[in-house]
């Protein structure tokens, strides 16, 4: 049932404040503002030398965000791979280390093959899945469920932000167990997470503005997405979402990579969507934006009030989100990025929930 939405994807985008809230409530002791994982870990976070994360597509991008979190909060080195690469690249794995697999369906063949490979090498296997009865869940030592509810639209939306919520809690738990986060640090991080559903609701109010932008986007051939730090995976996710449902060619890049190649693509016809909350890498992203503006590129800047004040690029179209702790920006900035893809596809009239050539669960390698 799509409720009063035209597509399941729209419904699922709008459900995010609620399902992310449910997911957070499952992992957080709301009274004390501490992480409280629902199950015991069969390993000691302190003894881990390295964490390997593998997943495919959107779930892989959730893992990319998590790499920044695990390294920052827990000082735990993270290797992240696309599952189809992890399995075949002969990575030296150490017995007793941890491998995390992220999957909405829990049936993705490449992710499952990687999981079995990690088990053969005697790694502890933890999975973040949305379908608790799935093969990946059954084959894991520990399962951390996302409580997104069934996701019908082929393009993943609410499962992604719920994956981020679970991974943020895990990274905080790891940081505490490894003695890298004080109680006060943890409370601050948890407090920021608790704000996310409210911030997502505010992000959804940008929809009328995004609908207008989508009319413009629907006429373009190529779109470039840029971001730094944890906004880099959100740029990748934005590009993936746009290409899979609107069939417009899109690429996501780390903003700093612009001058190493993609800048050659920029002209007046090419929209460049810049994901840039006012965080510690904001100034760097602004200089990349200036490089785009100097070449006549059309900038759509997704930022916050401070960022919009300091960006100083007149030609930019700005989508302004509320101010928030930088840890939680990937969860909230995912919302306008999803809406841009959705409304662009809706203007073009593609089959949003069932895009051509794609399946909801990819059970062949
Ligand atoms: C993108 C999308 C895919 C999946 C990928 C992994 O919108 O839906 O990229 O994220 O096929 O699927 P799961 O998470 O089921 O393993």
């Amino acid at each position: 049932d799509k409720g009063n939405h035209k597509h399941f994807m729209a419904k699922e985008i709008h459900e995010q404040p609620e399902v992310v809230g449910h997911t957070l409530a499952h992992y957080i002791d709301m009274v004390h503002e501490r992480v409280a994982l629902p199950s015991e870990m069969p390993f000691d976070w302190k003894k881990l030398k390295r964490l390997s994360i593998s997943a495919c597509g959107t779930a892989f991008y959730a893992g990319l965000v998590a790499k920044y979190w695990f390294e920052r909060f827990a000082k735990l080195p993270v290797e992240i791979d696309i599952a189809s690469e992890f399995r075949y690249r002969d990575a030296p794995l150490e017995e007793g280390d941890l491998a995390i697999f992220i999957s909405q369906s829990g049936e993705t063949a490449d992710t499952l093959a990687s999981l079995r490979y990690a088990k053969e090498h005697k790694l502890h296997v933890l999975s973040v899945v949305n379908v608790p009865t799935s093969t990946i869940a059954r084959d894991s030592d520990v399962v951390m469920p996302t409580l997104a509810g069934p996701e019908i639209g082929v393009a993943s939306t609410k499962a992604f932000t719920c994956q981020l919520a679970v991974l943020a809690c895990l990274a905080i738990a790891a940081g505490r167990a490894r003695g890298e986060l004080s109680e006060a640090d943890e409370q601050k991080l948890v407090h920021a997470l608790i704000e996310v559903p409210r911030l997502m609701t505010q992000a959804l109010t940008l929809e009328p503005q995004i609908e207008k932008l989508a009319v413009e986007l629907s006429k373009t051939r190529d779109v470039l997405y840029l971001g730094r730090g944890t906004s880099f995976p959100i740029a990748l996710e934005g590009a993936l979402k746009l290409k899979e449902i609107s069939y417009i060619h899109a690429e996501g890049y780390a903003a700093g990579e612009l001058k190493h190649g993609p800048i050659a693509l920029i002209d007046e016809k090419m929209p460049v969507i810049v994901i840039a909350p006012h965080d510690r890498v904001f100034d760097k992203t602004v200089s990349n934006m200036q490089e785009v503006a100097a070449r006549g590129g059309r900038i759509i800047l997704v930022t916050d009030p401070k960022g919009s004040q300091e960006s100083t690029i007149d030609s930019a179209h700005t989508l302004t989100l509320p101010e928030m702790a930088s840890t939680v920006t990937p969860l909230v900035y995912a919302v306008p990025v999803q809406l841009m893809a959705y409304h662009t596809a809706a203007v073009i009239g593609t089959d949003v929930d069932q895009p051509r050539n794609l399946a909801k669960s990819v059970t062949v390698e």
Side-chain angles (χ1 to χ4, degrees):
D1 178 22
K2 296 175 202 157
N4 45 16
H5 295 281
K6 227 172 128 191
H7 298 100
F8 281 108
M9 185 181 177
K11 174 176 174 251
E12 289 162 1
I13 290 172
H14 282 265
E15 274 172 1
Q16 290 178 109
E18 191 189 334
V19 295
V20 168
H22 283 324
T23 302
L24 288 170
H26 196 64
Y27 291 88
I28 288 174
D29 167 353
M30 295 286 179
V31 176
H32 302 98
E33 299 197 331
R34 310 276 313 254
V35 169
L37 296 181
S39 46
E40 285 284 312
M41 295 295 145
F43 55 82
D44 181 352
W45 287 108
K46 265 195 266 182
K47 296 212 172 98
L48 299 181
K49 295 207 186 70
R50 191 175 54 180
L51 165 63
S52 304
I53 305 179
S54 329
C56 303
T58 289
F60 170 72
Y61 298 147
L64 262 185
V65 174
K67 173 185 166 82
Y68 290 83
W69 288 336
F70 277 103
E71 294 190 341
R72 189 172 303 154
F73 305 158
K75 306 277 181 289
L76 179 59
V78 177
E79 292 245 5
I80 162 123
D81 278 276
I82 292 166
S84 55
E85 290 298 318
F86 177 72
R87 170 71 185 76
Y88 299 106
R89 75 177 167 90
D90 296 321
L93 300 174
E94 199 154 327
E95 187 177 333
D97 264 345
L98 174 65
I100 295 184
F101 300 89
I102 309 162
S103 176
Q104 187 286 127
S105 62
E107 302 296 346
T108 302
D110 286 316
T111 311
L112 182 59
S114 295
L115 183 155
R116 291 185 171 149
Y117 178 77
K119 271 182 123 174
E120 275 165 33
H121 287 78
K122 302 198 165 56
L123 270 74
H124 298 288
V125 167
L126 181 154
S127 62
V128 178
V129 294
N130 196 44
V131 181
T133 52
S134 61
T135 314
I136 289 177
R138 267 188 281 122
D139 278 16
S140 302
D141 303 322
V142 206
V143 182
M144 296 281 134
T146 46
L147 306 186
E151 193 180 61
I152 311 291
V154 162
S156 186
T157 53
K158 61 176 181 168
F160 174 66
T161 45
C162 287
Q163 286 161 355
L164 290 176
V166 172
L167 291 163
C169 291
L170 267 177
I172 294 168
R176 184 174 72 201
R178 290 166 68 84
E180 298 293 345
L181 289 180
S182 69
E183 200 173 316
D185 293 335
E186 181 181 353
Q187 270 169 349
K188 222 165 120 190
L189 292 168
V190 170
H191 189 79
L193 279 172
I194 295 173
E195 296 285 300
V196 166
R198 178 184 64 80
L199 292 163
M200 283 179 150
T201 303
Q202 282 179 264
L204 287 166
T205 65
L206 292 174
E207 194 158 20
Q209 233 179 304
I210 291 173
E211 279 186 68
K212 281 193 208 125
L213 268 179
V215 176
E216 290 304 304
L217 286 175
S218 70
K219 295 177 196 147
T220 56
R221 207 185 59 180
D222 313 277
V223 180
L224 190 62
Y225 287 76
L226 300 176
R228 275 178 187 262
T230 52
S231 299
F232 164 44
I234 301 306
L236 294 172
E237 171 63 0
L240 176 62
K241 224 72 318 167
L242 187 72
K243 66 187 134 191
E244 66 182 331
I245 61 168
S246 76
Y247 316 143
I248 293 173
H249 170 235
E251 298 206 50
Y253 262 95
E257 274 289 290
L258 184 68
K259 51 181 148 324
H260 301 288
I263 197 161
L265 295 171
I266 296 189
D267 62 18
E268 312 74 47
K269 289 199 218 97
M270 171 99 137
V272 180
I273 299 176
V274 184
I275 316 297
H278 192 276
D279 56 15
R280 59 181 176 176
V281 289
F282 179 76
D283 292 344
K284 300 277 176 203
T285 310
V286 169
S287 24
N288 302 130
M289 262 193 314
Q290 279 157 348
E291 291 158 8
V292 173
R295 284 155 189 87
R298 286 157 54 195
I299 296 168
I300 299 169
L301 171 63
V302 189
T303 188
D304 49 31
K306 248 195 201 152
S308 111
Q309 213 172 20
E310 285 178 32
S311 76
T312 64
I313 291 168
D314 303 331
S315 60
H317 187 108
T318 307
L319 292 173
T320 310
L321 288 161
E323 207 181 313
M324 66 195 80
S326 62
T327 329
V328 302
T329 56
L331 290 105
V332 182
Y333 281 62
V335 174
V337 153
Q338 295 163 348
L339 286 172
M340 276 191 265
Y342 172 72
H343 284 291
T344 304
V347 171
I348 297 173
T350 51
D351 189 348
V352 172
D353 286 332
Q354 291 276 305
R356 68 184 182 204
N357 311 338
L358 291 171
K360 184 66 186 158
S361 132
V362 183
T363 52
V364 286
E365 275 190 56

